[in-house]
Amino acid sequence: MKRCISLTLAALPAFASSLGAEAIVDGSNYGDLFNPSGAAVTVVHPTAPEGSIAQLLLSGNGSGPLGLHWDAEATGGLKLATNLILDDEIVLASTGAQVRLSGSALEFNQVSTGVLSLLGTGVTMNWSATATFDKAGAVVALSPNSVYEISFNVVDGSGLLNSTLGITPSFGMQLLDGANNPVGSSTGGTLINVLGLDLLEVVGAPQGTGRATVRFRTGTTVGSGAAKVRFTGGAVLPLNLLGIGSNFATISNLMVEQIDPYTVWVEDNEIPESMQDPDADPDSDGKPNKQEYALSTDPNSGGHDDVDFATGDPDGSGPETSAFVMTLPVRSGAQFSNQGGDQIATQDGANYRVEGSFDLASWSLAVSEVTQDDAFVADLPALPVGWEYRSFRVPGQTPDSVRAFLRVKFD
């Protein structure tokens, strides 16, 4: 079962929300993602020095906005030019990197003019290009302790992604937060080599197409502002390979989804697909998945404690005001509020209701959350990222009440 918040970056129909999903951005928000068709950022080579008969110029660069939603950079290439007359350069041949929009895709190309054999045999050029989604539109802000899945189609129209050609190609992608900090991937690292993914149907196959999928997990804090998705391609290209084609790679049908925390928890715990429903009980311990998820307990093994009880001093005024306190794990960031004496909160799909009683018959005590004392969590195990301990108390002092009870319910 997969529920997700969807950010769709493509000219696609509106994303149809599944149960528990909220669309941040759907296809209609970025219907112009790859427009206008023909917009490009191309390497600009330096001008040949005055008086040059046949000057071979290495490298070059170009950068700037690309359409409405991208910034692009292109570097590398070669140019052969003459400049015998003041400010009258004649280009005999040139080649260089380009990033271009086609209306439905993002293209990484090499652009050549003239007879390339004039540039000389055995000559190689360093080529690279970058495109970064970071322009106007609905702000794509990342949340802490969250998992994002980026998927897109890759087309290798000219076979230049085939490393057997000896051109050491690279093609990678990153997810950056609003402060330009790269987000770590589930496979390790932040810059993902697309060629290292399961793209055998793409690499080396004429007009081959494959879909790449990568997951990234944010930490406890993320830089504010619009997130960015960045693609970078590069290679060392001998001139004798330039005749293969002009297209290095094409990216289309780009989608970014925020995977809901329950789905991530199910996958991290390797719960069989038939037992992934929130009401299922894989370990037959009487605690459904929704309870195990809410309290960060092991859904594959019974015999664990859910909550911790103690008598402590929540207000720091001494043992005479010690109260009965319950400490439990909750999803990080949960905001509890009073409702009829109960403390309730909903966070990341987990619904909590903390109730108190003196007699187990009436659960109407005014429960309150207390500032956490070190004693309340001293012997508790460390929690995984995404959960934190919170403590609650019943009113009155324990000497005034023979018994006191606290419980947490899950809707």
Side-chain angles (χ1 to χ4, degrees):
M1 181 183 69
K2 179 177 180 180
R3 296 175 292 175
C4 58
I5 298 173
S6 178
L7 156 63
T8 302
L9 302 180
L12 299 174
F15 175 76
S17 297
S18 59
L19 180 63
E22 175 187 355
I24 300 174
V25 182
D26 60 31
S28 63
N29 292 85
Y30 288 97
D32 57 357
L33 180 66
F34 300 118
N35 287 310
S37 180
V41 170
T42 306
V43 160
V44 177
H45 295 286
T47 301
E50 182 182 347
S52 300
I53 297 177
Q55 181 75 37
L56 183 63
L57 304 167
L58 301 177
S59 193
N61 60 79
S63 63
L66 183 62
L68 298 176
H69 303 289
W70 300 88
D71 277 327
E73 297 179 2
T75 61
L78 299 168
K79 181 175 78 170
L80 182 66
T82 65
N83 194 353
L84 296 177
I85 303 175
L86 181 63
D87 296 328
D88 191 12
E89 180 189 57
I90 299 175
V91 178
L92 303 177
S94 70
T95 183
Q98 178 193 76
V99 187
R100 179 181 178 273
L101 299 177
S102 70
S104 60
L106 177 69
E107 299 177 350
F108 291 79
N109 301 322
Q110 55 184 6
V111 179
S112 303
T113 61
V115 181
L116 294 179
S117 60
L118 294 175
L119 295 173
T121 60
V123 177
T124 62
M125 70 170 184
N126 293 316
W127 178 99
S128 68
T130 298
T132 304
F133 168 80
D134 63 355
K135 298 305 258 182
V139 174
V140 182
L142 303 183
S143 300
N145 302 322
S146 299
V147 173
Y148 295 86
E149 183 175 279
I150 300 179
S151 57
F152 48 91
N153 289 349
V154 186
V155 177
D156 177 24
S158 301
L160 291 177
L161 293 181
N162 190 346
S163 59
T164 62
L165 295 175
I167 63 175
T168 60
S170 65
F171 197 81
M173 60 87 58
Q174 285 181 301
L175 175 64
L176 309 174
D177 68 14
N180 290 321
N181 300 312
V183 178
S185 77
S186 57
T187 56
T190 58
L191 178 62
I192 300 302
N193 180 12
V194 175
L195 304 186
L197 303 177
D198 187 15
L199 294 172
L200 295 179
E201 64 271 34
V202 171
V203 179
Q207 296 299 325
T209 301
R211 187 151 186 87
T213 300
V214 183
R215 283 193 175 183
F216 297 86
R217 188 188 297 260
T218 58
T220 55
T221 60
V222 292
S224 61
K228 303 173 177 65
V229 179
R230 176 173 294 165
F231 294 93
T232 302
V236 177
L237 294 174
L239 288 183
N240 62 351
L241 288 178
L242 296 181
I244 291 179
S246 61
N247 178 249
F248 187 79
T250 297
I251 299 298
S252 61
N253 291 331
L254 175 63
M255 177 177 289
V256 181
E257 296 176 296
Q258 182 179 353
I259 307 301
D260 78 280
Y262 179 80
T263 296
V264 176
W265 177 82
V266 163
E267 295 176 353
D268 286 348
N269 284 279
E270 300 181 346
I271 298 177
E273 185 174 354
S274 61
M275 299 297 291
Q276 293 179 2
D277 188 86
D279 291 318
D281 184 8
D283 55 8
S284 301
D285 63 355
K287 302 167 185 175
N289 284 332
K290 62 184 178 184
Q291 177 177 335
E292 306 254 28
Y293 161 68
L295 295 176
S296 186
T297 52
D298 187 350
N300 298 307
S301 174
H304 45 68
D305 294 329
D306 292 332
V307 297
D308 183 71
F309 297 97
T311 299
D313 183 13
D315 58 14
S317 59
E320 68 277 5
T321 60
S322 291
F324 180 54
V325 175
M326 177 178 69
T327 299
L328 67 149
V330 303
R331 288 293 299 174
S332 298
Q335 299 293 319
F336 283 86
S337 60
N338 184 284
Q339 182 175 314
D342 300 338
Q343 289 289 324
I344 64 171
T346 296
Q347 182 70 24
D348 299 333
N351 302 311
Y352 304 89
R353 179 181 292 269
V354 181
E355 300 175 335
S357 173
F358 283 145
D359 57 13
L360 288 179
S362 173
W363 292 89
S364 58
L365 292 182
V367 177
S368 59
E369 185 173 3
V370 300
T371 301
Q372 207 162 77
D373 189 296
D374 289 344
F376 300 157
V377 296
D379 298 321
L380 299 180
L383 293 173
V385 173
W387 283 265
E388 61 185 359
Y389 285 115
R390 304 283 278 274
S391 298
F392 303 86
R393 63 164 288 181
V394 294
Q397 291 76 39
T398 51
D400 298 333
S401 304
V402 178
R403 298 179 302 176
F405 304 94
L406 282 163
R407 70 183 182 186
V408 57
K409 298 175 66 176
F410 307 93
D411 300 328

